[in-house]
Amino acid sequence: GIQVEQSPPDLILQEGANSTLRCNFSDSVNNLQWFHQNPWGQLINLFYIPSGTKQNGRLSATTVATERYSLLYISSSQTTDSGVYFCAVEGYTNAGKSTFGDGTTLTVKP
Amino acid sequence: NAGVTQTPKFRILKIGQSMTLQCTQDMNHNYMYWYRQDPGMGLKLIYYSVGAGITDKGEVPNGYNVSRSTTEDFPLRLELAAPSQTSVYFCAMSDRGNQPQHFGDGTRLSIL
């Protein structure tokens, strides 16, 4: 199956700083999603982005499918951005079967 | 709209007991999924369904069973609970394949 690697595993920032989270995957994908798991354990879908660039407020994401990676940018970070960020992909040969990375744990300090 | 509703939120089982985790969605979405999340790890797919009457195995199906008799409901059954099944279980839905998945709040299950 597809392998998904996220980096860095942990990230600590001061409020107001910018950050970039990376997701590498081992095969072609037709589905890539970024999720935020808040400290209460809830999973929020941030982006559905199999290719191209999307922006939503202070967050943006870019997927370069031909090079098999995606980036999540967080600008002007806030303490409420803390939590775990997951990347999940789905390959062409496994429709419906998403593979998650192990996540990046972000801590934003006031 | 509640989206995906999971019950119960917490449960403690003894080894060998059985139980059903409930998942209901009110968006009339075709695809539904069950994941488990172990501490410090990402989510692993247990089973998924592309519509009523259709289910398929994910990455870690052993020890679990599912059914999908209606579009709304996708229960997950543990027949003989084992300590290795201690985890947080998430149910999710999507309108169809290759669409964003939306999650319930999870069920925290401990087996002692």
Side-chain angles (χ1 to χ4, degrees):
Chain A
I2 294 178
Q3 305 300 311
V4 180
E5 291 186 6
Q6 292 187 242
S7 60
D10 299 282
L11 187 58
I12 300 174
L13 300 174
Q14 285 297 131
E15 199 167 25
N18 303 328
S19 61
T20 301
L21 284 60
R22 187 177 180 102
C23 172
N24 291 335
F25 41 94
S26 62
D27 203 349
S28 300
V29 299
N30 63 354
N31 182 341
L32 188 146
Q33 301 178 76
W34 282 98
F35 295 91
H36 175 220
Q37 187 168 39
N38 64 25
W40 296 271
Q42 295 172 318
L43 282 154
I44 307 299
N45 193 304
L46 298 175
F47 293 103
Y48 169 78
I49 185 167
S51 64
T53 298
K54 290 186 177 180
Q55 182 160 4
N56 184 1
R58 296 181 296 103
L59 274 61
S60 64
T62 295
T63 297
V64 184
T66 54
E67 297 186 20
R68 300 181 183 172
Y69 73 90
S70 183
L71 302 174
L72 177 69
Y73 304 96
I74 304 174
S75 64
S76 304
S77 58
Q78 300 175 359
T79 56
T80 52
D81 294 330
S82 295
V84 185
Y85 290 81
F86 290 104
C87 166
V89 305
E90 186 177 307
Y92 285 96
T93 58
N94 288 293
K97 293 185 176 182
S98 290
T99 300
F100 278 70
D102 285 339
T104 292
T105 300
L106 175 65
T107 303
V108 180
K109 295 189 172 182
Chain B
N1 286 336
V4 178
T5 301
Q6 292 185 237
T7 57
K9 295 189 184 304
F10 306 94
R11 183 74 184 268
I12 298 174
L13 285 181
K14 294 183 179 179
I15 296 171
Q17 287 185 320
S18 62
M19 79 162 294
T20 299
L21 281 66
Q22 301 292 344
C23 176
T24 299
Q25 54 108 348
D26 61 1
M27 302 294 288
N28 201 36
H29 284 184
N30 287 317
Y31 281 57
M32 296 185 76
Y33 313 82
W34 273 108
Y35 294 90
R36 60 177 287 173
Q37 184 180 27
D38 297 330
M41 306 292 288
L43 281 70
K44 294 189 185 301
L45 184 66
I46 306 172
Y47 272 95
Y48 69 103
S49 169
V50 301
I54 306 170
T55 63
D56 203 355
K57 296 178 180 179
E59 183 181 355
V60 290
N62 292 344
Y64 307 94
N65 281 300
V66 294
S67 60
R68 185 92 182 272
S69 58
T70 66
T71 299
E72 295 78 18
D73 299 310
F74 190 39
L76 177 71
R77 179 82 177 166
L78 283 72
E79 290 294 350
L80 289 172
S84 61
Q85 294 177 305
T86 293
S87 192
V88 180
Y89 291 83
F90 288 98
C91 181
M93 65 175 179
S94 64
D95 186 20
R96 55 186 186 277
N98 298 328
Q99 290 297 306
Q101 293 183 24
H102 299 282
F103 283 77
D105 288 343
T107 293
R108 188 174 297 274
L109 180 63
S110 294
I111 298 163
L112 307 174

